[in-house]
Amino acid sequence: MKKLIAGNWKMNGSLTANEALLLALGQGLERVPAGSLHCDVAVCVPAPYLAQVQALKASQPALSGIELGAQDVSAHDAGAYTGEVSAAMLKDLGCRYVIVGHSERRQYHFETDALVAEKAGAVLASGMTPIVCIGETLIEREAGHTEEVIKRQLAAVISANGHRISEIVLAYEPVWAIGTGRSASPPQAQAVHAVLRAGLEAVTDLFARVKILYGGSMNAANAASLLAQPDIDGGLIGGASLKAHDFLTIIAAAQV
Ligand code: PGA
């Protein structure tokens, strides 16, 4: 299946820095001969910059291959929810993907499995693709609870969105690997991805089509070996997505 390389800029960037980064990405992608980009590429940018990136995409043909994504969404449709951004608004701004349930949202904003599942439903209902993040903490891994935790997180998404589960993208992001420079090893990541694939197989015939991304210190040096694993269908990349050269190297690693 076609891999997906999605950058998660987190709370980084400025009008000037975003433009420079995107133009550098565009220049890199222009060097890939037409029609031979064999992976999907997305950037999930801070909400205030969605319109900027949408406009840049419209004016720069080299950026047409980069899809736009958001980093979070409200579970509500509209109304008195000060500060929140609805799925319809993200769709309006040209988003194709929305990250939901990132561990930083779960940890700092107390998002529960049920809320994350509801947000995934709101994204699907607006015609976009949720990138649903799941993953264990270091304490959970060391206690031998990795499988139990990721199965619980996946079950919540399935119970709320089972009828459309084949339309989501999953991202396995071990919390201990995020922003730490300590990536899961390819076999460690593959083992969890295989559990997730089996969990999907139990509920949908289309299980093989669901993209399961790995995220957590994926970088230019380790991307190829992670992406070579049979159940790793792409990457959700934080720090390395802010450097055009590194992000382009990861995209190149996903081409094979
Ligand atoms: P990282 O972040 O690549 O900086 O570890 C990944 C993520 O949080 O999505």
Side-chain angles (χ1 to χ4, degrees), residues 231-244:
D231 289 300
I232 299 187
D233 309 314
L236 182 56
I237 296 115
S241 74
L242 297 171
K243 297 176 208 136

Side-chain angles (χ1 to χ4, degrees), residues 73 76-77 85-94 122 126 128:
V73 65
H76 304 288
D77 288 341
V85 176
S86 73
M89 293 171 186
L90 299 178
K91 176 77 177 169
D92 220 8
L93 285 164
S126 287
M128 299 174 291

Side-chain angles (χ1 to χ4, degrees), residues 130-134 154 157 168-172 193 196-197 200 210-214:
I131 301 177
V132 182
C133 300
I134 61 182
L154 178 62
V157 182
I168 74 165
V169 169
L170 270 182
Y172 169 54
H193 282 232
L196 293 171
R197 185 80 66 201
L200 292 167
V210 180
K211 286 187 183 31
I212 310 178
L213 314 183
Y214 169 78

Side-chain angles (χ1 to χ4, degrees), residues 136 140 144-153 191-192 195:
E136 81 289 358
E140 289 163 340
H145 294 153
T146 299
E147 253 192 53
E148 179 191 323
V149 170
I150 55 129
K151 281 181 174 166
R152 186 200 74 219
Q153 293 172 333
V192 175
V195 172

Side-chain angles (χ1 to χ4, degrees), residues 205-251:
D205 291 343
L206 303 176
F207 65 94
R209 294 221 316 239
V210 180
K211 286 187 183 31
I212 310 178
L213 314 183
Y214 169 78
S217 298
M218 187 184 270
N219 58 38
N222 63 22
S225 56
L226 285 160
L227 293 168
Q229 301 300 310
D231 289 300
I232 299 187
D233 309 314
L236 182 56
I237 296 115
S241 74
L242 297 171
K243 297 176 208 136
H245 179 266
D246 291 15
F247 196 55
L248 287 164
T249 305
I250 296 171
I251 291 168

Side-chain angles (χ1 to χ4, degrees), residues 19 28 46 68 77 82 96-97 138 161 172 175 189 204 230 237 246:
E19 183 164 349
L68 185 55
D77 288 341
T82 302
R96 160 96 197 273
Y97 297 100
L138 187 59
N161 302 284
Y172 169 54
V175 179
T204 175
I237 296 115
D246 291 15

